[in-house]
Amino acid sequence: MRIRSRLARAALGTGVLLVVVLVAIAADAWTALGARADGARRTRMERSPQWKDGHFENPQPLWNDWWGSISAMFKASPDVGPAEPPPSVPGDRRQFETPPATGLRVTWLGHSTTLIEIDGHRVLTDPVWSDRASPLSWVGPKRWYSPPIALSELPPIDAVVISHDHYDHLDHPTVSAMKNWNTTFVVPLGVGAHLAAWGVPEARIVELDWWEHTRVRGLDITVTPARHASGRTALDKDATLWAGFAIHGPEHRAYYSGDTGLFPAMKDIGARLGPFDVTMIEVGQYHSAWPDWHIGPEQAVLAHRMLQGRVLLPVHWGLFTLAAHGWTEPIERVLAAAAQGNDTVIVPKPGQSIEPGAPSPLERWWPSLPWDTAAQHPIVSTQLD
């Protein structure tokens, strides 16, 4: 009886401890999870052509090989992350005091975060300054190097564009630090609910559906279609919209894809809003088991052509481990595909500023590591015809 009583007390104690731990984790993550849209915001979402049966949908649904996704975790490259932090270019706001000679300059800060200087204005894409792409500060994909430029050292930003609400694109601590900035946040439908919950004034949130546009201090910003998904928990899948952005200044045009698979309307974006002086298209974090979620290197080059882009700056690589491929594989495959069509690709170091209209000679700043070719691991999105 004594042994049974001790076991019961031990089980009770373990259960209480588990509950306490789970409550602590929930409390730590709760704010970062964001908020659901309601009221007028929800009503507007429900009027969207992309809204079906209580959530947003792609015109071409995403195809998934679930068994392939599971098996991929056991076949990861030994080089999914760098052995040591890749080289970066540290900087501060002084580097932005001299305007770009060509009128267009892009500073890649890793993954999908870029600072675009275009015709006297500045746009920041998907800003992530946290150590982890996660609602928790102690678990989740960890960045490989510190931000090249401190958030407090950025120059005044006219617009912040956020493509969707996944954690590697919508970062709660970063947005909270920016909430009092004199900037306009341009986001797809529903994402504004997260921003408002984190203290961004509603007056500085512009939510748009695909093909809608707004004007921010001399820039025209159009929300463009993308082929992806959204969600910050297991219970809010596709509750907000995902998108790319076309940014038009008086003299230059830039395109940012957000996360996307390849889809036929890429041609429409190019025809209606191009040509683009620079396209910033995601190239990493792909697998053949989910070919519609992320476009992959070769299809990124194809999309660049469909968009009528002049210079391609690959993004969505070089900061987080989110897939099983080697960390240098995306850029190697992009360069191989671009060489076949004589496409111009720029590959700045993290933190490096570069003018697409006057690109510097390509510097291979990443190490030479084994990588799978397109023939070995093809990424081909479905339903393209």
Side-chain angles (χ1 to χ4, degrees):
M1 292 295 293
R2 288 181 180 178
I3 294 176
R4 192 177 302 172
S5 176
R6 288 174 182 172
L7 289 174
R9 286 199 298 270
L12 178 61
T14 301
V16 170
L17 179 60
L18 180 61
V19 169
V20 170
V21 169
L22 291 175
V23 169
I25 292 173
D28 186 25
W30 186 259
T31 303
L33 298 180
R36 286 284 193 128
D38 57 14
R41 177 174 277 120
R42 171 79 179 204
T43 299
R44 182 161 177 245
M45 291 162 57
E46 293 175 349
R47 292 199 298 263
S48 169
Q50 282 61 250
W51 185 266
K52 302 281 193 307
D53 301 323
H55 62 274
F56 289 103
E57 291 187 357
N58 291 288
Q60 295 82 29
L62 305 179
W63 178 83
N64 296 284
D65 173 2
W66 295 111
W67 176 247
S69 299
I70 295 171
S71 63
M73 294 186 292
F74 299 95
K75 302 175 183 178
S77 164
D79 301 307
V80 291
E84 57 185 37
S88 60
V89 180
D92 56 36
R93 68 179 61 216
R94 289 174 296 180
Q95 72 188 76
F96 304 104
E97 291 176 353
T98 302
T102 62
L104 176 63
R105 182 167 58 201
V106 182
T107 305
W108 181 53
L109 299 169
H111 202 58
S112 294
T113 303
T114 64
L115 197 164
I116 308 166
E117 298 169 89
I118 179 168
D119 298 338
H121 302 281
R122 299 187 184 100
V123 178
L124 194 62
T125 69
D126 287 353
V128 175
W129 261 257
S130 290
D131 285 340
R132 296 185 183 272
S134 168
L136 298 165
S137 60
W138 49 273
V139 69
K142 184 176 177 59
R143 63 188 303 142
W144 302 337
Y145 49 87
S146 300
I149 302 172
L151 195 62
S152 60
E153 283 297 312
L154 290 181
I157 303 297
D158 296 291
V160 174
V161 300
I162 297 173
S163 62
H164 63 298
D165 69 1
H166 286 160
Y167 290 100
D168 57 322
H169 296 263
L170 177 61
D171 181 45
H172 163 243
T174 301
V175 171
S176 294
M178 299 165 62
K179 65 184 179 183
N180 294 321
W181 286 13
N182 183 23
T183 190
T184 300
F185 292 81
V186 184
V187 299
L189 293 177
V191 176
H194 299 311
L195 273 59
W198 298 336
V200 177
E202 288 280 6
R204 291 197 280 107
I205 301 172
V206 178
E207 281 181 282
L208 301 175
D209 202 349
W210 292 350
W211 300 115
E212 293 183 339
H213 69 94
T214 188
R215 189 162 180 82
V216 179
R217 302 175 187 172
L219 294 177
D220 284 316
I221 300 177
T222 303
V223 167
T224 59
R227 187 181 185 185
H228 197 54
S230 67
R232 294 177 76 81
T233 72
L235 303 176
D236 67 342
K237 185 178 183 303
D238 299 341
T240 63
L241 191 58
W242 47 93
F245 295 89
I247 302 162
H248 288 188
E251 302 293 333
H252 294 89
R253 299 182 179 192
Y255 169 81
Y256 166 53
S257 70
D259 279 5
T260 187
L262 191 62
F263 59 97
M266 281 282 189
K267 285 187 177 180
D268 297 331
I269 298 171
R272 293 170 61 170
L273 301 171
F276 294 100
D277 298 283
V278 63
T279 64
M280 291 157 286
I281 302 177
E282 65 133 307
V283 302
Q285 319 313 324
Y286 51 81
H287 194 276
S288 58
W290 59 84
D292 300 329
W293 287 72
H294 294 288
I295 199 167
E298 294 76 26
Q299 292 189 144
V301 175
L302 176 58
H304 169 71
R305 298 168 186 163
M306 295 167 70
L307 292 158
Q308 302 180 36
R310 293 171 179 147
V311 177
L312 169 62
L313 194 163
V315 298
H316 204 252
W317 77 288
L319 183 61
F320 295 114
T321 299
L322 302 174
H325 58 68
W327 78 270
T328 63
E329 182 180 302
I331 198 60
E332 298 284 11
R333 288 175 56 165
V334 163
L335 293 175
Q340 296 177 10
N342 201 29
D343 299 281
T344 301
V345 180
I346 53 177
V347 191
K349 295 177 184 176
Q352 180 182 359
S353 298
I354 193 164
E355 298 191 37
S360 304
L362 180 68
E363 177 189 358
R364 295 180 61 89
W365 51 263
W366 58 94
S368 294
L369 299 171
W371 51 278
D372 287 344
T373 66
Q376 292 171 309
H377 185 195
I379 308 299
V380 182
S381 298
T382 66
Q383 307 162 75
L384 294 181
D385 53 354

